[in-house]
Each structure stands twice: as C-alpha cells, then as structure tokens.
Amino acid sequence: SDLSRQSGLQRSPVSQIVEQLIQEKWICEGGMVVRPRGRRPTLLELNNDLVALAVDIHPQLATIAVVDLKGRLLSRSQLPLTSDPTASTQRMMDCMLRMQKELSNKSIEGIGISLPGRVDPDTQQMIFAPNLHWPDFDLKKVIETTLGMAVRMENAATSSLLAELMFRHTDGIRNIVLVTISEGVGTAIFSDGHLISGHRGMAGEFGHVSLDPSGILCSCGRRGCWETLASSY
C-alpha cells in the first residue's frame, strides 16, 4: 500500500511488479508491521545476497570492491596497473575471482567499471582515456568472455553521479552538474531528470580544453589543458 501511494500506481500493478521482483530474487519479504487494526502489511527489502563487483580504474591503480544492492561495501582490494592493458586486466580478473570465492554465499550479478576517460554509450567501448596510456583494447569483451558476467563501463564522473542518484538524497532534484578532480578533470551532467551523454559520451569532457597553448604538455598531446592546471596530473 505504501508503494502504491508513493508511485501513484494502482495496487494491482504494484502487486504484479513486486511478485516479479521477488521471483527474480531482487527483493524479499521481511517482517510484518504491527498495527492496532486492519491487515498487517508485509515489509519488503532488497535481497542482501545479490551483489556486484565494482572496479575503479586509475592510471596506475585499480580498486576492486564487492557492494550489495544498498551500496554497502563488503570487500575491497587495490592493485597496481601498468601501461599493458592485457596484463593489467588479467591482474584485475584474478582479484575478482578471489573475491568471488571469498564470498561464495553471495550471487554476483554483474561488474561495473569506472574509467578515467569516456565510454561510447552505444558500443560500450573506451574511446578517450589519454591518462591511462593504453592502446586500443576491448576491456568489456575480455572480462565478459573470461568471467562470464555482464560488464557495464562508465566514465568516472558519470559513475559518481549515478551513485549519488542511486544512494543519496537527490529525490526531486532534476538538474545536477558533478565535477570530479583526481588525475584529471571530469564532469557529468543531469538535466531535467535525464543523464546527458552527448555524442559518443563526450558531454562534459572539458578537462582537455586548452587554456594555455604554450603550457605544460598534456597526455592528450595538446599543451596547457585544463587538467594540467587543475588536477593532480
């Protein structure tokens, strides 16, 4: 009944949706609410046994974690990366397999990868990550083929914005600009309730706009890019 009131849907479709989510094991029934009169409603909660692998890739370091559907961190490990994408990816996959064995009572539903660059939303290919210093490499295909799990890749700023929308108090906020500053500068844009990706995922990519043509040489090949002046580059 609470879901019906909050969603504006009738009880019948809400019940159908809830039943489907229970069958697919995304949610489960909890205890019953004690009330002085009337039917005792059954509480619903996210299934704590469903988890995801989260991979946060930086130019020289990767953080790999296991999180549940509530965003709670269950396990975390860090490992160094090199400019060799094949060796680096194998190292990350070995770590993920170890975590899977350590949490054998949990069901890993997929892998989310945060990247220091832009990802084409249509092809899910990394198309612009100069700070990573990797040649063309199909990261998604290699991991999916080897581990047999679905992989979703996103730019680091977009990943951060999605986390804020999913787990923070942003209800009712329809316009957000999130800026990340680490080895580079990235931006994610949420406008009128929609995530803006732009052509090939390049919306908000201003870190490589040149501010000083005679400035420091940037990893992208230009000089004086924004992130050479305003990041830990």
Side-chain angles (χ1 to χ4, degrees):
S1 58
D2 289 338
L3 289 173
S4 178
R5 282 193 296 272
Q6 292 186 29
S7 65
L9 298 173
Q10 297 295 319
R11 290 195 179 188
S12 177
V14 168
S15 296
Q16 292 175 359
I17 293 169
V18 167
E19 288 175 5
Q20 180 179 345
L21 292 174
I22 291 176
Q23 289 175 359
E24 296 176 357
K25 299 183 179 180
W26 290 107
I27 62 175
C28 54
E29 293 184 344
M32 300 185 71
V33 178
V34 177
R35 288 182 175 174
R37 60 180 182 275
R39 293 184 59 184
R40 294 182 176 182
T42 301
L43 296 175
L44 299 169
E45 62 181 3
L46 294 171
N47 186 352
N48 292 329
D49 290 332
L50 299 187
V51 298
L53 283 165
V55 182
D56 184 22
I57 296 177
H58 288 256
Q60 296 179 335
L61 182 73
T63 300
I64 299 175
V66 178
V67 295
D68 66 13
L69 298 181
K70 297 177 183 177
R72 294 181 300 194
L73 185 66
L74 305 181
S75 178
R76 186 177 72 168
S77 181
Q78 290 186 317
L79 60 151
L81 300 181
T82 70
S83 57
D84 182 346
T86 301
S88 295
T89 301
Q90 185 61 55
R91 186 174 295 176
M92 290 188 289
M93 291 191 295
D94 290 342
C95 181
M96 286 186 266
L97 288 172
R98 287 197 301 270
M99 287 183 166
Q100 187 178 26
K101 290 180 180 179
E102 292 169 358
L103 296 169
S104 57
N105 61 324
K106 303 291 186 180
S107 176
I108 298 177
E109 298 299 307
I111 302 169
I113 302 178
S114 171
L115 292 161
R118 288 291 162 175
V119 176
D120 189 314
D122 296 324
T123 65
Q124 277 286 286
Q125 296 296 307
M126 184 168 54
I127 57 174
F128 185 69
N131 292 343
L132 199 54
H133 302 295
W134 281 6
D136 290 340
F137 183 74
D138 196 339
L139 180 64
K140 173 182 168 70
K141 182 179 180 180
V142 170
I143 295 179
E144 284 186 333
T145 302
T146 306
L147 300 186
M149 286 185 271
V151 173
R152 176 74 182 184
M153 303 200 307
E154 277 293 356
N155 164 261
T158 303
S159 299
S160 298
L161 178 56
L162 289 172
E164 290 293 323
L165 294 172
M166 184 72 69
F167 301 117
R168 300 295 179 182
H169 300 293
T170 56
D171 291 348
I173 300 177
R174 299 181 60 81
N175 299 287
I176 301 171
V177 174
L178 184 146
V179 180
T180 57
I181 300 177
S182 55
E183 294 88 359
V185 179
T187 305
I189 304 169
F190 188 66
S191 177
D192 195 25
H194 298 280
L195 193 65
I196 305 300
S197 59
H199 178 63
R200 302 192 71 192
M202 296 296 284
E205 186 59 64
F206 71 90
H208 292 283
V209 173
S210 178
L211 301 181
D212 180 6
S214 61
I216 299 172
L217 181 65
C218 182
S219 58
C220 72
R222 300 189 184 94
R223 288 190 175 274
C225 288
W226 195 307
E227 65 182 42
T228 66
L229 305 172
S231 73
S232 59
Y233 175 82

